[in-house]
Amino acid sequence: PPATMLPVVASVLVCWVAPFLLMRLVERRERAALASTSAALRRQLCAAVRDIATRSLPGDRCLILSGGVDTCAILAAAEEVGVSFAAGITVLTGDDSPDKEFAVAAATAHGLAHHVVFVTASDLVQTYLPQCADSLHTFDGMTLRNSLVVAAAFRKARELGFKHAVVGDGADELFGGYSFMWGCGD
């Protein structure tokens, strides 16, 4: 280019190309860091599932199965490391429950015997709230709400003769999986 164009070319390089290249470099580093962290978390989950298998027999263990991120991650890790569950237990408070289709799909995909407990919200509160509040020593609404369903699933697991029930909890809380969290900032 002519000498008079050099300041323009330099300006374009400094103002547009350099930041773009820098941004791409940062994105690559962030992706690499994210991939590394993701792989480490996956290894930890697989190790935890293997540990469960060392402490229980396949026929003695079941999975409290919502079909959500938590339980599907456990199923994927179990499949990866060759660990099985004898059944999945899902608690539903109605036929229109959003968990229903996901839990059925997860159980089917992983060949689990699937037991569904139908209970009303009122029955959950009446039957399990006092026991959960007493056992957990809390009146926190979120903790108790989630624990009512788990308590109902534990009862069903006991009725079916399971000695170990694995529960996947936490991803919704960590990753904003509840609709009331969607409008919240960091």
Side-chain angles (χ1 to χ4, degrees):
T4 57
M5 292 293 295
L6 287 178
V8 173
V9 171
S11 176
V12 168
L13 286 174
V14 170
C15 293
W16 295 98
V17 177
F20 174 76
L21 293 175
L22 182 60
M23 185 175 68
R24 299 292 292 176
L25 178 62
V26 169
E27 286 174 358
R28 281 192 198 120
R29 286 184 182 161
E30 287 175 354
R31 281 195 303 264
L34 181 60
S36 175
T37 301
S38 177
L41 291 172
R42 184 181 188 135
R43 285 191 300 274
Q44 287 179 349
L45 178 59
C46 287
V49 170
R50 263 192 236 101
D51 186 51
I52 290 166
T54 64
R55 293 183 278 126
S56 61
L57 298 172
D60 288 344
R61 67 178 166 257
C62 65
L63 178 65
I64 309 306
L65 180 63
S66 68
V69 171
D70 304 302
T71 56
C72 288
I74 292 169
L75 284 172
E79 185 174 328
E80 186 173 319
V81 298
V83 172
S84 62
F85 295 93
I89 299 173
T90 303
V91 177
L92 301 174
T93 57
D95 280 333
D96 60 343
S97 172
D99 287 353
K100 184 178 182 181
E101 288 183 46
F102 296 115
V104 168
T108 301
H110 292 276
L112 292 177
H114 191 208
H115 303 275
V116 179
V117 177
F118 288 98
V119 63
T120 66
S122 177
D123 286 341
L124 273 177
V125 170
Q126 285 182 322
T127 305
Y128 300 102
L129 181 60
Q131 176 189 358
C132 286
D134 186 50
S135 296
L136 299 171
H137 304 288
T138 187
F139 292 102
D140 176 66
M142 188 67 152
T143 300
L144 290 172
R145 185 187 98 169
N146 292 341
S147 298
L148 298 177
V149 171
V150 173
F154 281 168
R155 178 175 284 175
K156 182 65 173 180
R158 185 179 60 218
E159 289 171 7
L160 293 169
F162 292 109
K163 297 177 183 173
H164 307 275
V166 176
V167 179
D169 273 344
D172 289 312
E173 291 80 1
L174 288 172
F175 302 116
Y178 296 116
S179 59
F180 66 83
M181 296 175 159
W182 295 346
C184 297
D186 292 343

